[in-house]
Amino acid sequence: MAKTKKLWLAVAAMAALVAISGLAWQAAGKYQAVHAELRTARMEQAEAAAPDGGLQAQELLAQPAAQDGVTLHRAAYYPQAQTLICFFEDEDPNRDIYLAALPDINATILPEEYGITTAIFEDVPPEALAGGIVVDLTDWQFECSQPVTFALGG
């Protein structure tokens, strides 16, 4: 009887260890996805032309912002390349994401990684950041629109 009890305790401990390891793996992957340093061809050209050979990122959020179930974890602007990179969680990549000041500029959406969707905007002058970034939470039939605006500031 004591052996069976010890066996069940060992199995329970291993199951708990596997669950905790999985959660830690997911958290580490999410952190890496949010803090990835991405480069587009335009950014690489600007980086090569920069006098110091590097791009300076302006972090536009002091902390993650959440609205209506969508979280904007990070927004990094690279003024030398006029590129904005945003990292969203719980955002359906089939929905519209656009800058309020430049609604006709489409983002390049990267495949979701660890629950993080990355949107890359190019040809974004600094003054276009003032209106924020909009996530349009439409329904699947696109019969209604619920735009949610995230303010971008330093």
Side-chain angles (χ1 to χ4, degrees):
M1 190 92 163
K3 272 188 163 182
T4 305
K5 192 174 190 178
K6 286 182 183 178
L7 178 64
W8 281 112
L9 285 174
V11 168
M14 287 191 314
L17 181 61
V18 167
I20 291 169
S21 297
L23 291 173
W25 181 264
Q26 178 69 20
K30 182 175 161 180
Y31 180 86
Q32 287 178 338
V34 168
H35 293 89
E37 290 299 324
L38 305 173
R39 292 289 186 263
T40 65
R42 181 186 180 111
M43 292 172 75
E44 288 176 355
Q45 289 172 347
E47 196 167 36
D52 62 355
L55 293 180
Q56 297 299 317
Q58 294 177 356
E59 295 294 333
L60 302 178
L61 295 176
Q63 61 188 24
Q67 291 188 57
D68 291 334
V70 176
T71 302
L72 176 57
H73 282 278
R74 183 172 168 238
Y77 182 65
Y78 298 85
Q80 300 98 324
Q82 292 194 336
T83 300
L84 173 66
I85 303 177
C86 298
F87 300 88
F88 293 95
E89 183 176 13
D90 297 325
E91 202 306 296
D92 183 335
N94 297 310
R95 303 299 188 232
D96 284 337
I97 301 174
Y98 56 89
L99 290 163
L102 300 170
D104 294 331
I105 291 183
N106 293 321
T108 299
I109 306 293
L110 300 182
E112 184 179 299
E113 197 172 332
Y114 294 99
I116 302 298
T117 300
T118 304
I120 302 172
F121 294 90
E122 295 189 299
D123 296 322
V124 179
E127 58 273 8
L129 301 173
I133 190 163
V134 179
V135 177
D136 200 348
L137 303 174
T138 59
D139 64 7
W140 277 104
Q141 293 78 28
F142 298 98
E143 294 171 348
C144 68
S145 174
Q146 179 188 349
V148 175
T149 303
F150 291 92
L152 299 175

